Amino acid sequence: QLCSLQLRNMKQASSSRLPHPDYVIWTVFFLISSILLYFSLYDKSTDTTYNIKRGAVAVVVIFVLIVIILLHTPRDGPFVRPHPIFWNFVLCTTVFYTLVMLFALFQSFDDIQRFLRYYDPKLGVPLPEKTYAEDCRIYTPDHPNGSFVNIMDKMDEFVPSHFFGWYFKAIIGRDWILLNISSLIFELVEYTLECQLPNFRECWWDHWILDFVLCNGLGIYCGLKTLDLLSLEKFDWTRLWKKPKIRKPYVQQSDSTDNSSRNSKYFIKFAWFFILMSDLLLQELNLFYLKTALWLPPNHHLNLCRQLVYAFIGICAVPEMFAYIKSSDPNVRMGGFSWMCTFVLAAEILVILKFGWNILAIPIPSSAIVSWSGILLIFSVWVAREFCTS
């Protein structure tokens, strides 16, 4: 079993006199992130030479810290095929991408565009705004290009990218509930952020039929079927935090302290599940914000390379997290792939805050804020009822 293999790889003896290594890593991570957040929000240097020098110093320092962290985490991933060297290459590629993002954080926008134009002369040009909601009619008999021209106009590079994106997410997440909830929330997020990202402005049938049902739903179905064909283990995430049903006579005799401890344990597991689902959404949102802020065309190969990095690192990181959340052994630790997913997401967010602040500053409609407030209220009530009652 995959989880038992993960537990054997992730178990390490820890001294009772020292803090848990994961707590130390989280502390260092938040400290470094706080320092980098300053450069993301307040640094306005336009001196190219100075920016390159301090960017190089930051890359060296962060690289040393990442190496130290990876040396003190379980180094074997969950897979041995096609070969462990391949998965080590995936890990190293993720480290490289993280360092590229951190180097970009210390540059000015003009410097970034200059580097991109040096890499590809076609880059460094503002992207044209494209929306998908100009004409939401499904049937257009009077149109000279055909009766279903609006549907055919939506068949661009985003259709296969949606399908294969959710296909790989299914292989990564391995749970029908997790994937469909993430797909549903992402469509709602698109409605919310269409004021900031014009690509999110779509017709209702584009959201719910073409995207949610066909591209996302079919990708999830095919991904889960691929797991069956390859005889790979599926993950039941909800079972991790679902409290077992206990007969009422036993509950009446149980101690309140035991109930509180049990509820706390299941709530922590649910919190990890919620964080994982949020990471899936952040990974998808970061793609749209990065290409908008840095002027990367949707069909450029850099976007594809980024998605492949996340696909392969996620295939290893999510099984690690499942084994970590499932285990009750305090000596079990987060794996290196899980840590690198956290680091690269944080690096991308910092870059977006610096170069995409003018996009993030566009106000979200009040109707969306009210709707999400209602959803969060209902969600909070459900969490309180689920984990704060006996």
Side-chain angles (χ1 to χ4, degrees):
Q1 289 290 330
L2 177 61
C3 289
S4 60
L5 176 62
Q6 277 296 100
L7 290 177
R8 286 197 301 269
N9 289 335
M10 295 168 68
K11 275 191 176 182
Q12 293 188 356
S14 61
S15 173
S16 59
R17 297 181 181 179
L18 297 175
H20 195 283
D22 283 355
Y23 299 157
V24 176
I25 297 175
W26 279 117
T27 303
V28 173
F29 169 73
F30 283 116
L31 287 175
I32 297 297
S33 298
S34 301
I35 296 173
L36 295 176
L37 185 63
Y38 167 80
F39 291 97
S40 178
L41 296 178
Y42 301 108
D43 179 66
K44 306 296 181 184
S45 173
T46 57
D47 187 340
T48 302
T49 304
Y50 174 67
N51 291 342
I52 292 176
K53 288 181 178 179
R54 64 180 184 166
V57 171
V59 165
V60 172
V61 172
I62 299 300
F63 175 74
V64 171
L65 290 176
I66 289 177
V67 170
I68 293 174
I69 290 172
L70 293 180
L71 288 176
H72 287 79
T73 56
R75 276 167 274 174
D76 295 329
F79 302 113
V80 295
R81 294 181 180 178
H83 196 278
I85 293 178
F86 173 78
W87 299 110
N88 288 332
F89 170 77
V90 170
L91 186 64
C92 292
T93 303
T94 310
V95 173
F96 173 76
Y97 177 60
T98 304
L99 297 177
V100 169
M101 287 288 102
L102 291 173
F103 180 80
L105 183 63
F106 289 87
Q107 312 306 310
S108 67
F109 182 77
D110 292 336
D111 292 336
I112 291 294
Q113 295 306 317
R114 192 176 298 112
F115 287 131
L116 290 175
R117 281 194 296 269
Y118 179 78
Y119 174 78
D120 186 350
K122 297 179 182 179
L123 297 178
V125 180
L127 300 180
E129 290 191 3
K130 182 178 180 180
T131 65
Y132 297 86
E134 295 89 352
D135 187 355
C136 289
R137 293 178 298 167
I138 298 178
Y139 184 61
T140 55
D142 55 342
H143 200 283
N145 293 331
S147 300
F148 298 97
V149 64
N150 289 336
I151 296 178
M152 299 307 298
D153 185 56
K154 307 299 186 292
M155 300 297 176
D156 55 11
E157 64 272 3
F158 285 108
V159 173
S161 66
H162 270 68
F163 171 80
F164 286 107
W166 285 98
Y167 173 82
F168 279 104
K169 286 185 180 70
I171 295 177
I172 293 170
R174 306 191 186 190
D175 181 68
W176 185 88
I177 295 178
L178 168 69
L179 296 165
N180 280 277
I181 292 177
S182 299
S183 178
L184 173 64
I185 294 178
F186 186 78
E187 295 302 322
L188 296 177
V189 169
E190 281 190 335
Y191 276 114
T192 305
L193 300 178
E194 63 182 19
C195 58
Q196 299 180 354
L197 300 169
N199 289 145
F200 284 177
R201 196 172 295 120
E202 301 173 345
C203 298
W204 68 268
W205 49 267
D206 196 354
H207 274 294
W208 301 110
I209 298 178
L210 187 59
D211 285 353
F212 181 73
V213 175
L214 295 180
C215 294
N216 301 1
L218 191 60
I220 292 172
Y221 175 80
C222 292
L224 294 178
K225 283 300 179 182
T226 302
L227 294 177
D228 294 335
L229 292 174
L230 298 177
S231 300
L232 294 176
E233 179 186 4
K234 292 183 180 179
F235 300 149
D236 189 353
W237 292 93
T238 57
R239 184 177 294 181
L240 297 180
W241 50 266
K242 278 287 186 181
K243 294 186 294 184
K245 293 183 179 180
I246 304 175
R247 288 180 295 181
K248 195 170 183 178
Y250 176 80
V251 174
Q252 291 176 344
Q253 297 174 2
S254 62
D255 185 68
S256 60
T257 303
D258 294 338
N259 289 334
S260 176
S261 176
R262 191 182 305 112
N263 288 340
S264 176
K265 180 183 70 173
Y266 287 116
F267 174 75
I268 292 175
K269 293 180 181 293
F270 172 77
W272 277 114
F273 168 79
F274 183 79
I275 291 172
L276 175 66
M277 191 166 59
S278 301
D279 287 346
L280 290 176
L281 295 172
L282 277 175
Q283 182 275 137
E284 195 76 18
L285 283 176
N286 284 358
L287 172 65
F288 289 94
Y289 278 108
L290 281 173
K291 68 184 182 183
T292 303
L294 301 180
W295 298 350
L296 291 174
N299 58 354
H300 198 273
H301 63 269
L302 287 179
N303 293 321
L304 176 61
C305 291
R306 175 197 177 273
Q307 292 296 83
L308 289 176
V309 169
Y310 269 105
F312 285 107
I313 194 72
I315 288 175
C316 292
V318 173
E320 283 185 345
M321 285 305 301
F322 185 80
Y324 176 75
I325 299 171
K326 183 178 180 180
S327 175
S328 300
D329 188 343
N331 293 325
V332 174
R333 297 167 51 189
M334 285 178 58
F337 291 93
S338 302
W339 281 116
M340 284 313 306
C341 269
T342 304
F343 299 158
V344 71
L345 274 175
E348 285 187 338
I349 291 173
L350 291 171
V351 171
I352 292 169
L353 287 174
K354 180 168 185 175
F355 299 111
W357 185 255
N358 59 325
I359 302 172
L360 297 170
I362 299 175
I364 296 175
S366 57
S367 58
I369 296 176
V370 172
S371 299
W372 280 108
S373 299
I375 293 174
L376 290 176
L377 178 61
I378 295 173
F379 176 73
S380 301
V381 171
W382 177 84
V383 170
R385 183 176 180 181
E386 184 76 15
F387 299 104
C388 297
T389 57
S390 301

